[in-house]
Amino acid sequence: MMAEDIRQDKKGNFSALMEHNSNGVTRSSALAASKTGASKKLVIKNFKDKPKLSENYTEDTWLKLCDAVGAIQNSTSIKYNLEELYQAVENLCSYKVSPTLYRQLRQLCEDHVQLTESVDSLSFLKRMNRCWQDHCRQTIMIRSIFLFLDRTYVLQNSLLPSIWDTGLELFRTHIVSDSGVQKRTVDGILEQIELERSGETVDRSLLRSLLGMLSDLQVYKESFEERFLVETNRLYAAEGQRLMQERDVPEYLHHVARRLEEENDRVISYLDQSTQKPLVYCVEKQLLGEHMTSILQKGLTVLLDENRVTELTLLYQLFSKVKGGLHTLLQFWRDYIKAFGGEIVGTPEKDKDMVQELLDYKDKMDNVVHTCFARNESFINSMKEAFEAFINKRPNKPAELIAKYVDSKLRAGNKEATEEELERILDKIMIIFRFIHGKDVFEAFYKKDLAKRLLVGKSASVDAEKSMLSKLKHECGAAFTSKLEGMFKDMELSKDIMIHFKQYTQNQSGPSNIELTVNILTMGYWPSYIPMEVHLPAEMVKLQEVFKVFYLGKHSGRKLQWQPTLGHAVLKTEFKEGKKELQVSLFQTLVLLMFNEGEEFSVEEIRTATGIEEGELKRTLQSLACGKARVLNKNPRGKDVEDGDRFNFNKDFKHKLFRIKINQIQMKETVEEQVSTTERVFQDRQYQIDAAVVRIMKMRKTLSHNLLVSELYNQLKFPVKPGDLKKRIESLIDRDYMERDKDTPTQYHYVA
């Protein structure tokens, strides 16, 4: 190099001295001599002639590099400084020796790579791993020396692999692609994985390294993964078949979950990430997919019967992973609900506890859906469909029993629940009520029981009654509850009427010893009661007349009909022990008042004097002489009342309470009463069908039979058979509301 220093009026001379280093590379250094004084400008120029290499420089340098590569490959110390070797490579590349240098290096590495043999598979794997690790380390070391070659010549030639890629390619070509070596390597890895699956401990780092090697060499998929998945498939197919025979379902489900966890852990620990999806699919298919029906047939009923929440949750989670798993589970779940619920509803012996069992069962199934089935909408809807299906398999009875259950909860004396608990129970009952098709049956029985509660003052809570009414109105509409609301209005109006009646009687001369309370019931709102004529004492009859005059004076044009079957009274009675008050029905009152006139009476004498119907009288006498509070003595003694029995007043009667309620013995809700209520519902349904047919025909004028039936099904809110509809249509034709078409018998015309 030459440097020129320009100063004012002065020049400085530089001479270039050429030195020879021991490695044959020429290094230049400039010694500058100048006079004192600071230089103002330094200009550097290129050599006029490029330095020349000595004759043997390339061969000598390659020998040094060859020696260094050999030392690296044999893991011995390198004689030369690495920086010196790097500089040598840079110098050779600068003098266009790169192609020769690259070719020689590749050949040198290729000569070194050789097959490795060993005795057993584990030792072979360890040797292979050591060989791979050494090869990687050596390649990195060699690349660091030949880095300049890698970054210049190789980078500029897109067709040439880098030194690192060359190292991988040589290892793949000469070692891993050798069929014998590859087979032994993959066999060994598969053997280790099988040992681990059977519970033995293996060297995971060794497997991770070897599988990483296959991945780096880009032979992982074809050499290992395909065989691995085939072996996995075979293993789990056999395991699934065996364990389904040997183990119960809960144990099997836990085993499947554990296997899936193990395989996912295997992916994290040493398998390639790309293997996870096909591996997990393989396990799920062989352990779950192939056995879905068997698992559910064998175990779902047991899990649900025993309320095994943990296993049911696991079952749902596992089945959600398999194609079609949840759909299959849904079908079995629906069938289970129908079968179990069908037993509850379809067994007459269980009628007494049917509603409570239904509520408990619904709670249990709700808990399963919310806790185990992740609130899955399909399962919730399926459960509703199943409940609706099995409850309506037995028409009318569930509706009747639900009405009676509500009555038992709303009746006074039900101390089981606080108001909040009662509200919760009513909400649950409404859920069951929604499933019922024949809601008119429920209404009929509910109305009958509500009437009893209101008239006898046995309602536990007016708030609870109105809350239930509000729920029914919300569910079924105002038309459904209009009569029930009318019953409450009657009771409130009756209270106002009685306030005015008391004021009225106080202004009358000669006040009575009897305090009369009357409930005015609108006939259309309340259940129909069969009028029964009985012989009332003259004083009672007089009071009735006074009230009649008072009421009709205020409400002209109305008619009053007395219902003795619903009356009750409080009698003041004197026993040897002292005075007591007896809370009794009107029939019990009439019987007891007779003993003011005489000591002893026969059944026939009492019947003649009171006019009470025979069956009702016997139940009344039974309640007074054979129940817990025996205010009459029966002769001869016995539980049942016979025609020849005689009765006398029991003066020795004792009781710890001052006011004693003597319950009327109910006819075990008499089959006749149930039948009559059901018949009344059926009669109402006929009227509704008739009204619907006339309404439709009036609007449409002419309609075919099928279209008319279809319209009726849309409008009617209760289940009805096609045969019943046909009968009602025939009846309306007979009564000239409509007529058949003369040419087309299935066509009807409205008759105006």
Side-chain angles (χ1 to χ4, degrees):
M1 281 175 70
M2 294 182 65
E4 192 174 68
D5 187 13
I6 303 168
R7 299 188 187 188
Q8 194 175 2
D9 301 327
K10 290 181 183 178
K11 288 185 180 180
N13 297 319
F14 290 84
S15 60
L17 302 177
M18 305 301 291
E19 285 185 339
H20 287 281
N21 267 336
S22 56
N23 61 3
V25 179
T26 305
R27 189 173 64 196
S28 63
S29 63
L31 297 176
S34 69
K35 293 182 181 180
T36 54
S39 64
K40 287 192 174 181
K41 190 172 182 183
L42 182 69
V43 178
I44 299 172
K45 295 181 179 178
N46 287 331
F47 282 121
K48 289 178 181 175
D49 296 314
K50 189 175 181 179
K52 292 182 181 178
L53 296 175
S54 60
E55 287 180 21
N56 299 323
Y57 178 74
T58 304
E59 289 79 8
D60 293 345
T61 304
W62 170 246
L63 288 172
K64 281 184 182 181
L65 292 170
C66 188
D67 187 44
V69 171
I72 291 168
Q73 290 173 339
N74 296 314
S75 301
T76 57
S77 59
I78 304 168
K79 297 176 186 176
Y80 310 101
N81 183 293
L82 290 177
E83 188 181 350
E84 186 183 324
L85 293 169
Y86 179 87
Q87 187 68 53
V89 173
E90 185 177 342
N91 290 338
L92 288 174
C93 290
S94 301
Y95 282 88
K96 312 294 184 191
V97 191
S98 301
T100 309
L101 184 61
Y102 181 81
R103 196 167 53 253
Q104 286 173 323
L105 175 61
R106 181 185 172 88
Q107 189 60 50
L108 187 63
C109 292
E110 192 168 353
D111 292 342
H112 171 72
V113 176
Q114 55 186 357
L115 293 180
T116 311
E117 290 294 335
S118 187
V119 188
D120 63 283
S121 62
L122 183 58
S123 301
F124 177 82
L125 290 180
K126 287 179 179 176
R127 195 67 160 303
M128 171 60 83
N129 184 50
R130 193 159 58 248
C131 175
W132 166 245
Q133 298 292 347
D134 288 348
H135 180 74
C136 290
R137 183 174 45 76
Q138 291 161 10
T139 306
I140 291 166
M141 198 78 175
I142 291 166
R143 181 176 175 273
S144 67
I145 293 171
F146 290 87
L147 191 61
F148 192 84
L149 176 71
D150 208 28
R151 287 184 176 172
T152 54
Y153 173 70
V154 175
L155 206 58
Q156 290 160 10
N157 289 270
S158 58
L159 297 176
L160 291 177
S162 68
I163 292 172
W164 171 255
D165 288 343
T166 302
L168 295 184
E169 184 193 328
L170 292 172
F171 198 87
R172 178 170 60 244
T173 306
H174 292 282
I175 294 185
V176 177
S177 293
D178 180 277
S179 59
V181 174
Q182 188 184 103
K183 187 175 183 307
R184 286 200 67 182
T185 305
V186 175
D187 283 352
I189 294 170
L190 291 174
E191 186 182 322
Q192 290 299 301
I193 293 172
E194 193 169 342
L195 286 171
E196 189 180 44
R197 280 173 171 164
S198 62
E200 294 188 32
T201 306
V202 298
D203 185 350
R204 286 189 157 196
S205 61
L206 173 65
L207 294 175
R208 183 165 55 248
S209 177
L210 289 168
L211 290 169
M213 171 190 80
L214 296 177
S215 190
D216 289 343
L217 298 175
Q218 297 178 347
V219 294
Y220 176 86
K221 205 166 191 67
E222 62 268 22
S223 67
F224 169 75
E225 187 178 90
E226 290 171 6
R227 276 193 62 196
F228 171 66
L229 292 174
V230 168
E231 289 298 316
T232 302
N233 216 44
R234 182 190 56 75
L235 170 78
Y236 285 123
E239 184 172 282
Q241 292 286 351
R242 189 181 80 254
L243 294 182
M244 271 306 295
Q245 302 296 325
E246 294 175 3
R247 300 189 180 182
D248 59 12
V249 168
E251 197 180 347
Y252 183 79
L253 291 174
H254 283 295
H255 174 79
V256 174
R258 191 169 61 252
R259 279 302 202 194
L260 284 168
E261 195 179 328
E262 286 171 4
E263 296 303 335
N264 278 309
D265 183 47
R266 226 159 253 131
V267 173
I268 294 166
S269 297
Y270 53 80
L271 293 172
D272 191 85
Q273 195 63 37
S274 64
T275 309
Q276 183 174 27
K277 197 172 178 181
L279 172 60
V280 169
Y281 171 77
C282 173
V283 179
E284 288 170 352
K285 181 176 181 291
Q286 294 303 337
L287 293 185
L288 288 172
E290 297 292 328
H291 306 287
M292 282 195 295
T293 306
S294 303
I295 290 169
L296 294 172
Q297 282 176 344
K298 187 177 174 184
L300 184 63
T301 303
V302 176
L303 295 179
L304 288 167
D305 285 348
E306 296 176 6
N307 204 25
R308 301 277 287 269
V309 174
T310 307
E311 284 75 17
L312 284 167
T313 307
L314 183 58
L315 177 72
Y316 178 82
Q317 289 169 351
L318 291 173
F319 272 56
S320 63
K321 297 172 189 286
V322 185
K323 187 180 179 182
L326 288 186
H327 180 68
T328 309
L329 177 58
L330 187 69
Q331 288 177 322
F332 275 85
W333 153 259
R334 190 191 297 123
D335 293 344
Y336 170 83
I337 293 174
K338 285 182 183 175
F340 194 94
E343 282 183 29
I344 296 173
V345 172
T347 314
E349 299 80 51
K350 290 185 177 180
D351 281 358
K352 187 181 175 185
D353 302 316
M354 181 201 287
V355 180
Q356 189 58 54
E357 282 191 33
L358 283 174
L359 291 173
D360 294 343
Y361 184 48
K362 181 70 171 61
D363 280 348
K364 183 179 172 182
M365 293 299 101
D366 281 342
N367 182 51
V368 170
V369 167
H370 292 137
T371 310
C372 309
F373 296 167
R375 299 174 186 267
N376 187 311
E377 279 295 322
S378 301
F379 281 80
I380 293 171
N381 294 334
S382 187
M383 175 174 68
K384 288 176 182 174
E385 288 167 18
F387 265 83
E388 191 173 341
F390 77 70
I391 280 180
N392 291 294
K393 268 192 172 178
R394 188 180 175 194
N396 302 342
K397 197 64 183 178
E400 176 194 332
L401 293 173
I402 290 170
K404 285 181 169 43
Y405 184 85
V406 174
D407 176 56
S408 73
K409 294 299 175 188
L410 292 177
R411 203 183 301 149
N414 172 35
K415 295 172 184 173
E416 297 170 25
T418 61
E419 282 191 18
E420 294 80 10
E421 286 169 347
L422 182 58
E423 189 68 19
R424 276 200 297 276
I425 289 169
L426 294 180
D427 284 335
K428 288 179 180 179
I429 287 169
M430 287 309 297
I431 292 169
I432 301 293
F433 172 74
R434 281 187 195 115
F435 300 133
I436 293 169
H437 290 163
K439 291 183 171 60
D440 49 350
V441 176
F442 171 89
E443 184 200 8
F445 283 96
Y446 183 79
K447 184 162 77 171
K448 184 165 65 70
D449 293 330
L450 174 62
K452 284 181 187 173
R453 292 198 299 276
L454 293 177
L455 294 174
V456 189
K458 289 292 285 176
S459 189
S461 156
V462 176
D463 290 341
E465 291 282 7
K466 291 194 172 176
S467 170
M468 185 64 190
L469 208 58
S470 167
K471 293 178 200 300
L472 289 169
K473 189 174 184 177
H474 181 264
E475 189 65 35
C476 304
F480 186 83
T481 55
S482 59
K483 291 181 180 179
L484 304 176
E485 287 171 335
M487 292 163 74
F488 279 96
K489 283 179 190 169
D490 281 352
M491 295 305 291
E492 286 165 14
L493 287 171
S494 296
K495 286 177 186 175
D496 293 338
I497 290 168
M498 290 321 298
I499 291 169
H500 293 119
F501 178 65
K502 279 178 184 173
Q503 292 170 354
Y504 173 80
T505 52
Q506 283 168 3
N507 298 329
Q508 299 292 312
S509 58
S512 170
N513 293 329
I514 302 173
E515 191 179 320
L516 177 68
T517 304
V518 181
N519 288 317
I520 310 293
L521 314 180
T522 308
M523 194 170 277
Y525 294 158
W526 296 75
S528 52
Y529 300 104
I530 300 164
M532 188 182 289
E533 290 295 326
V534 292
H535 305 149
L536 297 174
E539 205 167 350
M540 281 190 187
V541 174
K542 184 184 173 185
L543 260 178
Q544 279 186 351
E545 286 303 315
V546 171
F547 181 81
K548 190 174 180 182
V549 170
F550 160 77
Y551 184 77
L552 295 178
K554 287 196 172 230
H555 305 279
S556 59
R558 295 190 182 180
K559 184 183 175 185
L560 287 178
Q561 184 183 66
W562 296 91
Q563 291 287 356
T565 52
L566 303 175
H568 55 276
V570 176
L571 294 179
K572 292 179 179 176
T573 320
E574 200 167 329
F575 299 100
K576 283 183 182 178
E577 189 184 47
K579 290 182 179 179
K580 301 277 184 189
E581 286 185 359
L582 302 178
Q583 196 173 335
V584 288
S585 71
L586 183 61
F587 293 157
Q588 289 170 327
T589 302
L590 297 178
V591 171
L592 289 172
L593 287 175
M594 286 185 66
F595 291 91
N596 285 338
E597 311 299 328
E599 293 288 327
E600 188 175 83
F601 298 97
S602 68
V603 173
E604 188 56 41
E605 288 168 338
I606 296 171
R607 186 189 302 122
T608 306
T610 60
I612 301 172
E613 179 267 328
E614 185 181 353
E616 194 66 53
L617 177 64
K618 285 188 175 180
R619 278 194 300 279
T620 301
L621 289 168
Q622 197 176 6
S623 68
L624 295 169
C626 309
K628 288 181 180 177
R630 299 185 180 187
V631 291
L632 296 181
N633 290 324
K634 184 173 87 77
N635 191 19
R637 290 174 178 274
K639 286 185 179 180
D640 296 319
V641 174
E642 305 296 339
D643 289 340
D645 292 347
R646 297 186 68 78
F647 295 86
N648 59 61
F649 185 65
N650 180 13
K651 294 177 183 177
D652 300 323
F653 175 77
K654 292 181 181 181
H655 203 283
K656 59 182 179 180
L657 299 176
F658 174 70
R659 178 174 282 195
I660 303 132
K661 181 170 187 338
I662 301 176
N663 291 319
Q664 178 79 338
I665 291 184
Q666 296 292 325
M667 293 182 277
K668 288 183 177 157
E669 189 166 20
T670 64
V671 178
E672 298 129 3
E673 193 177 352
Q674 286 178 3
V675 168
S676 71
T677 307
T678 309
E679 280 178 356
R680 207 158 51 244
V681 171
F682 184 68
Q683 191 65 50
D684 287 344
R685 284 182 179 180
Q686 288 187 324
Y687 296 147
Q688 287 184 54
I689 294 169
D690 289 357
V693 172
V694 171
R695 195 164 52 242
I696 293 164
M697 290 305 300
K698 190 174 183 180
M699 187 171 65
R700 303 291 283 271
K701 304 301 181 192
T702 300
L703 208 59
S704 71
H705 177 79
N706 289 342
L707 283 174
L708 176 58
V709 169
S710 176
E711 279 284 337
L712 285 169
Y713 275 123
N714 289 336
Q715 289 195 19
L716 298 172
K717 294 179 180 177
F718 48 82
V720 60
K721 294 173 184 172
D724 294 335
L725 293 179
K726 197 172 179 183
K727 283 178 188 173
R728 299 319 305 155
I729 292 168
E730 294 290 346
S731 168
L732 289 168
I733 290 171
D734 292 343
R735 288 180 281 159
D736 294 331
Y737 282 95
M738 52 197 283
E739 63 183 11
R740 289 186 192 278
D741 188 273
K742 290 172 183 174
D743 300 324
T744 315
T746 57
Q747 195 91 356
Y748 303 122
H749 301 289
Y750 177 68
V751 178

